[in-house]
Amino acid sequence: MRVLSGVQSNGKLHLGNYLGAMKQHIELQRENECFYFIANYHSLTTVQDAKLLRQLTVDVALDYLAFGLDPNKANLFRQSDIPEVTELAWILSTVTGKGLLERATSYKDKIAKEIAPSMGLFCYPVLMAADILIYKSDMVPVGKDQTQHVEMAADMAGHFNHAFGCEILKLPKLRLNEAHVVPGLDGQKMSKSYGNTINLFDPPKKVRKQIMGIKTDSTPVEDPKNPETCNVFAIYKLLANADEVAALDEKYRGGGMGYGEAKQQLFEVAERVLGPARERRGELEADTDYVEDVLNTAAGRARAVAGEVMAEVREVCGLMVGKGTHRG
Ligand code: ADP
Ligand code: TRP
């Protein structure tokens, strides 16, 4: 099965990104052909600083490799190394109703957060559809907030196939992780743009401070507490094993435990995941040639697939390539 997903390079990755997206991406490499890319074209909608964008792009690559992405099993590349996706995005935009994009909830959310309403932001789902369709992807693992975008990609594939009387574009299937929405320090969805994150690669002291800052209610230490409504427990459940979860659940319900203790336990299980990745990332940071090599090799493989699909697309649309036109 061909699996595809993308991650924007627009800030430090956090526990929500890891549990909602990266973890399953890395697990899927075992049994599938995976294409994962760093969505730097998409990031241009919010990051317009060349040096910063370059750095954030390499950071995402380092993060994935540090958490165990194996470049021999999965292809990790930069979106912009496959410029054909922008060509497909244009072609898809000609078969996509404006109304479909106007219904995109993430566009409305971003406008509400006062991100400039550029055409790039508005057409974001079309580029995302091109990312998915250009590799004839079977499955797209993403977090819940991206569901609508994947459904739109399937709609666009259907519209294209119908308009040109073909079956070239494959309708992708969505795959959601069980950790649908990881709460942030304030109980809202954990997100870079809400400033409520536990970052994956901050030093342990800072991670501890972030965890100690998770919002809890004011139930006194001696009283029983409800694990089901507690943000600390909600994140703990996603990191600890079943026995650990059962034990902490009992402590909550039994009373006599303060939230500080639950937070300390959360810190310890979080460090079990973050500690080794932090160490590995330190080693990779010192080997920039290796990281470049991983990205370039994977881009070559991805571009070969994209090139073949685009040849079919151009043909069926009547966009023949003239003599002397060089297409990489
Ligand atoms: P952010 O909201 O921090 O900007 P992105 O929108 O860049 O995060 O998300 C990157 C990936 O991580 C997406 O697949 C998204 O669904 C997933 N993701 C982000 N935040 C969370 C969260 N709090 N819970 C679950 N998944 C998340
Ligand atoms: N929009 C996705 C996000 O913010 C990133 C992305 C871009 C993506 N293109 C994609 C995800 C294609 C999956 C498939 O998380």
Side-chain angles (χ1 to χ4, degrees):
M1 183 158 351
R2 185 171 286 163
V3 174
L4 170 125
S5 198
V7 186
Q8 283 203 68
S9 45
N10 57 3
K12 282 187 183 179
L13 295 185
H14 52 74
L15 213 51
N17 297 135
Y18 175 68
L19 294 168
M22 287 171 89
K23 187 169 175 239
Q24 61 172 335
H25 293 167
I26 292 167
E27 282 166 6
L28 286 165
Q29 73 186 358
R30 273 187 280 143
E31 289 176 1
N32 300 282
E33 182 191 17
C34 297
F35 286 95
Y36 299 136
F37 62 90
I38 307 163
N40 54 354
Y41 281 141
H42 279 107
S43 301
L44 271 181
T45 57
T46 50
V47 181
Q48 288 166 350
D49 173 326
K51 194 169 163 227
L52 180 63
L53 186 60
R54 265 195 292 273
Q55 184 57 50
L56 290 171
T57 305
V58 171
D59 280 345
V60 174
L62 286 167
D63 294 354
Y64 265 78
L65 293 168
F67 273 105
L69 182 126
D70 179 350
N72 296 313
K73 295 198 178 122
N75 299 299
L76 178 68
F77 56 97
R78 295 180 185 90
Q79 184 184 29
S80 58
D81 282 340
I82 323 298
E84 287 84 352
V85 291
T86 60
E87 182 184 356
L88 183 58
W90 171 258
I91 295 171
L92 291 175
S93 78
T94 65
V95 295
T96 304
K98 195 165 145 264
L100 183 75
L101 298 181
E102 278 162 352
R103 288 192 291 277
T105 52
S106 89
Y107 177 73
K108 292 184 215 159
D109 290 350
K110 285 178 179 167
I111 299 302
K113 279 187 234 152
E114 293 180 3
I115 296 175
S118 63
M119 282 307 292
L121 198 65
F122 185 65
C123 297
Y124 185 111
V126 185
L127 180 58
M128 180 157 162
D131 290 326
I132 297 171
L133 304 176
I134 206 164
Y135 306 107
K136 298 196 178 181
S137 314
D138 297 299
M139 188 171 88
V140 185
V142 284
K144 201 175 174 197
D145 55 319
Q146 298 295 319
T147 312
Q148 193 190 25
H149 288 157
V150 180
E151 288 165 359
M152 285 178 158
D155 283 352
M156 289 181 220
H159 292 155
F160 177 89
N161 289 344
H162 179 73
F164 294 99
C166 67
E167 293 293 326
I168 295 177
L169 299 182
K170 192 179 243 180
L171 275 58
K173 292 222 164 22
L174 172 87
R175 186 187 135 129
L176 276 182
N177 198 25
E178 62 196 34
H180 284 180
V181 178
V182 181
L185 306 185
D186 55 359
Q188 284 192 82
K189 179 201 149 181
M190 187 179 289
S191 170
K192 285 163 216 138
S193 37
Y194 298 153
N196 63 355
T197 58
I198 299 171
N199 295 331
L200 295 175
F201 291 100
D202 279 348
K205 251 190 168 165
K206 205 159 167 204
V207 171
R208 189 164 187 282
K209 198 165 164 222
Q210 285 162 350
I211 290 178
M212 290 299 158
I214 297 175
K215 213 165 115 188
T216 48
D217 62 27
S218 49
T219 315
V221 174
E222 56 284 3
D223 287 7
K225 299 177 178 59
N226 184 356
E228 280 150 39
T229 55
C230 177
N231 294 325
V232 180
F233 193 82
I235 307 176
Y236 186 81
K237 246 181 14 192
L238 301 171
L239 291 163
N241 64 38
D243 289 346
E244 290 165 334
V245 173
L248 190 63
D249 186 285
E250 213 176 298
K251 279 195 166 181
Y252 265 76
R253 296 182 198 276
M257 178 195 69
Y259 285 119
E261 191 183 329
K263 288 175 179 177
Q264 178 60 30
Q265 290 206 27
L266 172 57
F267 172 66
E268 283 164 22
V269 292
E271 272 302 302
R272 221 159 52 192
V273 178
L274 305 183
R278 197 182 289 120
E279 206 170 298
R280 175 84 183 113
R281 197 181 193 281
E283 292 160 13
L284 289 162
E285 276 166 26
D287 198 351
T288 45
D289 287 353
Y290 170 74
V291 178
E292 270 306 306
D293 194 42
V294 165
L295 294 174
N296 291 336
T297 307
R301 291 196 204 116
R303 202 162 183 204
V305 177
E308 279 176 28
V309 177
M310 280 315 292
E312 287 182 69
V313 166
R314 288 181 201 120
E315 173 79 30
V316 79
C317 296
L319 296 166
M320 308 308 288
V321 180
K323 276 203 184 106
T325 306
H326 176 75
R327 293 206 197 247

